[in-house]
Amino acid sequence: MSDQHTQANRSVPTGPTKMTPSEAFVETMVSNGVTDMFGIMGSAFMDAMDIFAPAGIRLVPVVHEQGAAHMADGYARVSGRHGVVIGQNGPGISNCVTAIAAAYWAHTPVVMITPETGTGTMGLGGFQECNQLPMFQEFTKYQGHVTHPARMAEYTGRCFDRAMSEMGPTQLNIPRDYFYGEITCEIPKPSRLDRGPGGEQSLNDAAALLATAKFPVIISGGGVVMSGAVEECKALAERLGAPVVNSYLHNDSFPASHPLWCGPLGYQGSKAAMKLMAQADVVIALGSRLGPFGTLPQHGMDYWPKQAKIIQIDADNKMLGLVKKISVGICGDAKAAAIALTARLDGKDLVCDANRAERAAIIANEKAAWEKELDEWTHEKDAFSLDMIEENAKEKTFQGGDYLHPRQVLRELEKAMPPRAMVSTDIGNINSVANSYLRFEEPRSFFAAMSFGNCGYAFPTIIGAKAAAPDRPAISYAGDGAWGMSLMETMTCVRHNIPVTAVVFHNRQWGAEKKNQVDFYNRRFVAGELDNTSFAEIARAMGAEGVTVDKIEDVGPALKKAIDAQMNEGKTTIIEIMCTRELGDPFRRDALSKPVR
């Protein structure tokens, strides 16, 4: 595991030094603190791979390269360091495109190393040849193509630097013959930006606006996690007495135990968060791009406050005012900006000071009402779901047990969740409903495919997270459709001793899309049904533990037992939960129209 690696003995040459390009490549990775990489071996980079281990770098061989890139994503999101993925030129590289796109929308510093066809035959249509730069141009912050072996260290260093400065994936493209020869080069030291709080004028304008706010609300976004700004966000919220809502799929950006925490916005988020947001007269979007998917109407509420003034803080100036009209835009680091704003408010009389107790009561009441609703919301209540519940009640699972209500299952999993858990969720209906139930106390704990929304994300991502933080419990959620795209990585866990726990919601359907066929196509179902074998049995065949759960009282104990096996015995467990076919609300009701034939 990466935490067990030591960098004390990993010295890097200083000054101009004779070496091979492979050595320059590896030494530059060592300079950037790389201890783990994910991928599948290939002849294109075998010369460099030969010296990974002596340099203190572990290459984790995966089952499929998409999984490798997702693992690099999870590794980076937990550790705050680079995630690194590598593969054979051509098909090994093209297999990574989907996962790099997911990392792009998660703002994850993944370095995608893409060995390429040799320069001597490029353009002749040789074995595994393809133009690898265009594949990733939409999903990378920077693409470095090594133009000469002597520039290997330069381009390698730049790709690692840009991944951090731009907060997103970069691509290092290397012709395979450029790993060989002898060069003289200097290994570059990592260059990291020291981000500031933003411009003086914009900070002053924001402070002046906050001084007039009667009901300020803070959106704590992914930038709060990336910049380590949770404590600073808390300080700002406490000064204002402001409720804090998580931006969509960043449930780990504020501690759930804090009295000002109100839960996530966006699809299947917290009604308390949305009702409080609707009352805001000033919104502070701290480290959030205010993506459209996280601000759409939900639970039948168009909650976004149309007349509210918005203060948006983002390290990327291109995000300011892109989605929502703003009153003040601050281009700065979330942590530094929160400190600067809190300092400007210190000792000042604020309008919101006068109603602090009243607002605290409103916050507490809305949260209590939402928790009560969740407790009582044991199943979906639309006509289709009620029909499915009745139908499933007449059936028994193949073990003779019951099909369980997804919301009840998610509540039981929430209650059994261990401290410091890391959770990844896939795309899909039940996984999206889970957004209402996932709460965290520390950042770098929750991972989802964000705006890209690709199936097969959760399981490999949590494997990468576990590799970065072996001392923390690691749990993934996936439906049976998405699970089919990633279950083969169970072998990676078993082969390489990276134990995790996977929860699979087995409801025998592609639920998210099937919901659209319910709402718009009069239940004319096409290609939505899944006839699955037992995923627990498949897990056992791959050398992991496999458990099938079909009684609600067994859900919590099954998770606790699996976590104990993960943390104390180094075992991976696949928990297959047999669920009814009921379905939660769709992603968005404006995405489709009733068909006209």
Side-chain angles (χ1 to χ4, degrees):
M1 299 293 175
S2 63
D3 283 4
Q4 295 168 343
H5 283 302
T6 175
Q7 297 183 36
N9 297 320
R10 302 204 311 162
S11 59
V12 175
T14 58
T17 308
K18 280 189 177 182
M19 61 183 75
T20 67
S22 288
E23 290 172 317
F25 166 64
V26 172
E27 294 288 5
T28 307
M29 288 200 293
V30 170
S31 178
N32 279 274
V34 175
T35 56
D36 295 90
M37 301 170 65
F38 303 90
I40 295 178
M41 66 181 297
S43 61
F45 61 99
M46 198 160 279
D47 193 66
M49 187 174 68
D50 186 53
I51 55 175
F52 284 174
I57 296 173
R58 175 180 67 156
L59 175 62
V60 178
V62 303
V63 178
H64 190 280
E65 290 92 350
Q66 179 176 328
H70 282 315
M71 290 176 204
D73 186 347
Y75 185 97
R77 291 180 72 174
V78 169
S79 66
R81 304 190 305 275
H82 299 93
V84 186
V85 58
I86 193 168
Q88 174 70 4
N89 61 254
I93 300 308
S94 64
N95 280 346
C96 294
V97 173
T98 294
I100 294 299
Y104 178 84
W105 287 110
H107 308 285
T108 308
V110 171
V111 179
M112 173 79 221
I113 299 164
T114 60
E116 188 179 59
T117 302
T119 58
T121 59
M122 196 173 294
L124 299 180
F127 183 62
Q128 297 183 325
E129 178 181 345
C130 61
N131 192 346
Q132 297 176 168
L133 290 168
M135 290 185 197
F136 296 95
Q137 65 185 11
E138 293 294 321
F139 304 121
T140 48
K141 297 290 188 177
Y142 172 75
Q143 293 178 294
H145 174 71
V146 178
T147 57
H148 191 277
R151 301 185 69 183
M152 179 74 83
E154 173 196 342
Y155 274 109
T156 303
R158 188 172 298 132
C159 284
F160 277 86
D161 288 344
R162 291 285 184 92
M164 283 296 186
S165 64
E166 300 286 335
M167 288 310 294
T170 59
Q171 179 183 6
L172 175 61
N173 199 61
I174 309 170
R176 58 186 294 161
D177 52 314
Y178 283 5
F179 285 102
Y180 299 92
E182 185 177 80
I183 61 174
T184 298
C185 72
E186 187 168 353
I187 303 302
K189 294 181 180 179
S191 175
R192 299 290 178 264
L193 290 180
D194 183 12
R195 301 185 193 275
E200 283 292 311
Q201 186 62 53
S202 57
L203 288 165
N204 290 338
D205 290 346
L209 182 55
L210 285 171
T212 67
K214 295 179 181 178
F215 205 107
V217 175
I218 297 174
I219 300 175
S220 183
V224 171
V225 174
M226 295 174 207
S227 65
V230 170
E231 290 301 316
E232 290 71 21
C233 182
K234 282 167 59 175
L236 180 60
E238 289 165 1
R239 174 63 192 93
L240 295 167
V244 180
V245 302
N246 306 112
S247 68
Y248 182 55
L249 298 178
H250 288 296
N251 299 28
D252 58 346
S253 63
F254 201 78
S257 62
H258 196 285
L260 293 174
W261 170 84
C262 300
L265 296 180
Y267 181 41
Q268 293 288 355
S270 161
K271 283 189 181 180
M274 296 171 195
K275 289 180 178 179
L276 291 162
M277 176 62 70
Q279 301 180 55
D281 59 345
V282 176
V283 175
I284 309 168
L286 183 61
S288 173
R289 67 185 183 92
L290 294 176
F293 210 64
T295 56
L296 287 170
Q298 187 63 198
H299 300 308
M301 294 184 288
D302 188 2
Y303 58 86
W304 188 264
K306 302 297 188 293
Q307 305 304 315
K309 303 288 179 64
I310 301 176
I311 300 166
Q312 186 181 8
I313 302 164
D314 200 292
D316 184 351
N317 70 289
K318 296 186 293 297
M319 296 297 105
L320 298 176
L322 179 65
V323 180
K324 296 290 185 183
K325 182 180 178 181
I326 63 176
S327 298
V328 181
I330 300 172
C331 181
D333 174 76
K335 181 175 184 176
I339 292 171
L341 283 177
T342 305
R344 281 165 170 77
L345 299 175
D346 187 39
K348 285 192 175 182
D349 291 328
L350 309 180
V351 170
C352 64
D353 287 338
N355 65 358
R356 180 181 291 264
E358 178 187 346
R359 288 183 295 122
I362 293 171
I363 293 167
N365 289 338
E366 291 293 0
K367 288 170 62 175
W370 175 232
E371 289 304 312
K372 184 174 185 294
E373 182 172 352
L374 282 179
D375 285 336
E376 296 171 353
W377 198 350
T378 56
H379 59 81
E380 305 299 343
K381 299 171 184 176
D382 61 286
F384 172 79
S385 292
L386 292 175
D387 287 347
M388 291 300 100
I389 291 168
E390 182 178 354
E391 179 181 303
N392 290 154
K394 298 173 184 176
E395 302 175 20
K396 290 292 180 181
T397 71
F398 57 83
Q399 290 199 150
D402 300 314
Y403 288 107
L404 308 180
H405 299 303
R407 284 190 174 273
Q408 282 185 299
V409 168
L410 291 167
R411 198 59 152 172
E412 292 303 311
L413 290 170
E414 176 200 336
K415 292 175 186 175
M417 198 63 65
R420 305 202 67 222
M422 304 181 292
V423 180
S424 63
T425 57
D426 226 294
I427 196 72
N429 193 271
I430 298 176
N431 290 283
S432 298
V433 173
N435 195 31
S436 297
Y437 300 89
L438 288 168
R439 298 99 187 276
F440 301 93
E441 291 301 313
E442 63 181 285
R444 302 192 181 278
S445 298
F446 183 42
F447 321 107
M450 310 309 296
S451 302
F452 203 59
N454 67 286
C455 289
Y457 169 89
F459 187 49
T461 298
I462 209 65
I463 296 171
K466 183 69 175 182
D471 60 317
R472 297 183 63 184
I475 304 160
S476 70
Y477 285 6
D480 46 6
W483 181 245
M485 293 188 181
S486 56
L487 62 85
M488 62 281 190
E489 297 300 345
T490 303
M491 291 188 285
T492 301
C493 298
V494 174
R495 288 168 174 167
H496 306 293
N497 190 29
I498 308 176
V500 302
T501 301
V503 177
V504 182
F505 304 107
H506 191 158
N507 64 354
R508 298 146 290 140
Q509 61 191 355
W510 287 103
E513 299 303 336
K514 190 174 175 182
K515 180 65 173 176
N516 290 324
Q517 294 174 329
V518 171
D519 289 349
F520 293 93
Y521 295 92
N522 197 28
R523 304 192 189 183
R524 295 191 296 276
F525 299 127
V526 180
E529 309 302 325
L530 295 172
D531 184 13
N532 305 308
T533 188
S534 168
F535 294 121
E537 290 181 9
I538 295 173
R540 290 192 288 270
M542 289 192 285
E545 301 292 316
V547 179
T548 301
V549 176
D550 52 12
K551 293 182 175 59
I552 193 66
E553 63 268 22
D554 292 341
V555 172
L559 181 62
K560 291 180 178 178
K561 183 178 180 180
I563 295 300
D564 180 67
Q566 178 190 145
M567 302 305 295
N568 298 315
E569 301 173 46
K571 290 184 177 180
T572 291
T573 303
I574 313 305
I575 304 174
E576 173 186 37
I577 302 182
M578 308 307 293
C579 294
T580 66
R581 284 193 166 106
E582 62 194 277
L583 294 170
D585 279 348
F587 282 99
R588 50 188 299 180
R589 294 189 184 278
D590 61 340
L592 294 168
S593 299
K594 290 283 186 180
V596 177
R597 300 284 183 251

